[in-house]
Amino acid sequence: MVVEEIMKTEVITLKKDDTIETALQLLNEHHIRHIPIINEQKHILGIISDKDIRDACPSIFQKEEHCNELQNSVEKIMTKNVITVHPLDFVEEVSAIFYEKEIGCLPVTKEGKLVGIITEKDILYTLIQLTGALQPSSQIEVKVKNISGMLAKVVAIIAKRKVNINSVLVYPYSKSEEYKILVFRLQTMNPTSIINDLKNAGYTVLWPNLPGITL
């Protein structure tokens, strides 16, 4: 999956000379947390967040003393070194940027111009969709040896029961590099027969931990 499939293309933006007060109004009106700052050519000059706005707003105990602070331009509080991504970047790689840089959004640019925006909420929702967690289903976790061909063998056992697989995840087994964990979300509410088939084939099912299954 690439960024252009999940990014928002209708982006609320500001110019660098717009006021902080205007930014605050837009954040509240559109229930957003970030606003890119662009020029006439849609090139990104910076970005501001709701945190930047909060830091710039005077305390309720100091409003009279600093009543003109919100009339400052957003240029004075915006972050200028903005990390951007391309519409054809893979969502998995973009997720790593969110994690490593600890940021809440990424503007999406093409040929230097803003074409969209992607937020950490978009990433989380995409993960939910990819795992099929919102669909009626059940999940099983199978420990297998970390060698080629294991996924195909386990899938073949599931296929014999004519049950659809909504999603598959693979992650390392924390106790040994010799194994890995296959996580299946299956389109059935009762995976007992599949679990028994896997057990009879010599596989270890870590979840669900039904009686008689050795971990």
Side-chain angles (χ1 to χ4, degrees):
M1 180 177 288
V2 293
V3 168
E4 67 178 0
E5 296 181 53
I6 67 172
M7 71 182 187
K8 295 180 178 66
T9 55
E10 296 183 3
V11 186
I12 304 299
T13 62
L14 287 171
K15 300 295 191 298
K16 66 178 182 179
D17 295 326
D18 288 324
T19 65
I20 297 174
E21 183 178 27
T22 300
L24 178 60
Q25 291 172 348
L26 288 175
L27 289 176
N28 292 334
E29 179 182 349
H30 296 280
H31 305 290
I32 55 179
R33 294 177 55 196
H34 305 85
I35 302 179
I37 313 302
I38 62 173
N39 60 18
E40 296 296 335
Q41 292 75 40
K42 292 189 175 182
H43 296 154
I44 294 183
L45 304 178
I47 193 167
I48 58 173
S49 69
D50 54 350
K51 182 180 183 301
D52 298 325
I53 299 294
R54 288 196 302 271
D55 291 343
C57 288
S59 163
I60 59 173
F61 302 108
Q62 300 174 318
K63 280 189 175 181
E64 293 184 4
E65 301 174 36
H66 305 277
C67 59
N68 293 324
E69 288 189 359
L70 293 182
Q71 300 310 311
N72 286 315
S73 68
V74 294
E75 183 179 17
K76 293 187 176 182
I77 65 170
M78 70 184 187
T79 299
K80 295 181 179 179
N81 297 320
V82 183
I83 301 172
T84 64
V85 294
H86 189 273
L88 298 182
D89 285 342
F90 290 109
V91 171
E92 298 93 324
E93 297 171 353
V94 171
S95 300
I97 296 176
F98 275 98
Y99 175 75
E100 293 170 0
K101 301 298 182 180
E102 298 182 350
I103 53 180
C105 89
L106 285 167
V108 185
T109 60
K110 185 177 182 181
E111 297 178 355
K113 296 183 178 182
L114 180 70
V115 294
I117 195 168
I118 183 172
T119 67
E120 56 186 352
K121 185 177 180 180
D122 297 325
I123 293 292
L124 180 58
Y125 181 68
T126 299
L127 175 62
I128 293 172
Q129 287 185 306
L130 290 174
T131 59
L134 296 180
Q135 304 176 33
S137 58
S138 59
Q139 179 173 305
I140 63 173
E141 298 185 10
V142 187
K143 185 177 78 171
V144 299
K145 288 188 176 181
N146 190 14
I147 58 177
S148 62
M150 297 306 299
L151 176 59
K153 292 179 179 179
V154 174
V155 168
I157 293 174
I158 296 173
K160 290 180 181 179
R161 292 287 178 174
K162 301 187 183 303
V163 172
N164 288 335
I165 299 174
N166 291 340
S167 68
V168 182
L169 296 175
V170 182
Y171 64 89
Y173 183 55
S174 60
K175 297 180 181 179
S176 173
E177 294 182 357
E178 295 182 11
Y179 297 91
K180 58 186 175 182
I181 309 300
L182 306 180
V183 183
F184 296 90
R185 190 164 287 277
L186 306 177
Q187 197 171 333
T188 177
M189 299 307 295
N190 184 9
T192 303
S193 58
I194 295 174
I195 292 172
N196 288 333
D197 290 346
L198 290 167
K199 178 185 175 183
N200 292 334
Y203 294 101
T204 298
V205 177
L206 299 180
W207 180 265
N209 184 12
L210 298 180
I213 296 180
T214 302
L215 300 183

